[in-house]
Amino acid sequence: MVLPIYVYGEPVLRKIAQEVDVENTDWKPLVADMFETMYHAGGVGLAAPQIGKDISLFVIDTEPFKESFPDVKLYKGAFINPVITEEWGEDFVFAEGCLSLPNLNEEVTRKSNIRIEYYDENGVFHEQEFDGLAARVIQHEYDHLEGKVFVDHLSAIKKMVLKRSLNDIASGRTHAAYKTVHPKK
Ligand code: NI
């Protein structure tokens, strides 16, 4: 089922996501819906707060990067109760976008390598290292679970420049090619 995507200005995007019960809950149906929603909207990652749920879960699939970056390491997966335990390496600049910030792309600097602990949708625990674009997408989605969006990483001047675009998104004046939820006026 394709779910509507909550956009910038919605309070749920500012909440700290809650850990979920991995052992006693079947997360596969929600994970399936999140993949479907992400593909429908043309994204490479989607975090639960973006579908209005303040829980610690996100999905990623780097496949769409293949066209522009043929060497990209493909990774598809769900990350439940993830914890990034280490970030290291070079500062890596990349223009990020977000389904909760339609039509906005800005360069964000992040570390190139991460180590992350998480459960998959079958309840299996993983500790894994990522680099390149997979690491980037994970860092971006992980931010969502901490109530952050990528524009929070930009300079004060850059944020000033974007103020109008952000207001347009929050008030529903920005057109997205998918169904969105935005704050009522
Ligand atoms: Ni995002």
Side-chain angles (χ1 to χ4, degrees):
M1 185 176 40
V2 173
L3 306 165
I5 293 177
Y6 287 59
V7 299
Y8 185 83
E10 272 293 318
V12 69
L13 293 176
R14 292 307 190 184
K15 284 190 182 165
I16 306 287
Q18 302 298 305
E19 267 194 26
V20 298
D21 182 345
V22 181
E23 254 172 51
N24 302 303
T25 308
D26 180 10
W27 293 102
K28 287 193 282 292
L30 180 63
V31 165
D33 282 348
M34 287 176 67
F35 273 117
E36 196 182 339
T37 301
M38 180 183 83
Y39 292 135
H40 172 78
V44 292
L46 184 72
Q50 296 182 273
I51 52 157
K53 295 183 187 295
D54 64 335
I55 56 173
S56 189
L57 195 173
F58 62 78
V59 298
I60 77 161
D61 186 352
T62 59
E63 167 90 34
F65 282 132
K66 218 169 72 177
E67 207 173 307
S68 311
F69 307 96
D71 296 335
V72 69
K73 264 184 243 165
L74 298 184
Y75 192 83
K76 176 187 174 178
F79 296 74
I80 301 173
N81 293 346
V83 180
I84 291 180
T85 53
E86 205 182 340
E87 291 187 290
W88 72 96
E90 291 166 29
D91 285 338
F92 171 39
V93 181
F94 189 76
E96 295 188 16
C98 180
L99 296 176
S100 295
L101 293 151
N103 310 325
L104 216 63
N105 289 91
E106 294 295 332
E107 288 189 340
V108 178
T109 306
R110 300 183 192 265
K111 292 291 179 196
S112 59
N113 295 63
I114 61 163
R115 182 177 299 113
I116 186 167
E117 299 177 355
Y118 65 97
Y119 293 86
D120 65 25
E121 69 273 37
N122 300 307
V124 178
F125 178 79
H126 300 263
E127 184 180 13
Q128 212 169 338
E129 289 181 8
F130 291 91
D131 59 12
L133 290 174
R136 169 61 58 134
V137 177
I138 290 168
Q139 288 163 320
H140 175 115
E141 299 311 324
Y142 193 76
D143 270 358
H144 280 300
L145 305 184
E146 298 196 312
K148 286 189 255 175
V149 290
F150 78 85
V151 290
D152 299 342
H153 291 276
L154 304 177
S155 68
I157 289 169
K158 194 82 215 181
K159 272 185 243 181
M160 287 263 289
V161 172
L162 293 178
K163 204 168 178 202
R164 188 170 177 171
S165 304
L166 293 172
N167 283 338
D168 283 347
I169 293 169
S171 57
R173 284 193 294 269
T174 301
H175 174 76
Y178 40 87
K179 208 175 169 205
T180 57
V181 177
H182 63 84
K184 303 259 184 300
K185 267 174 235 163

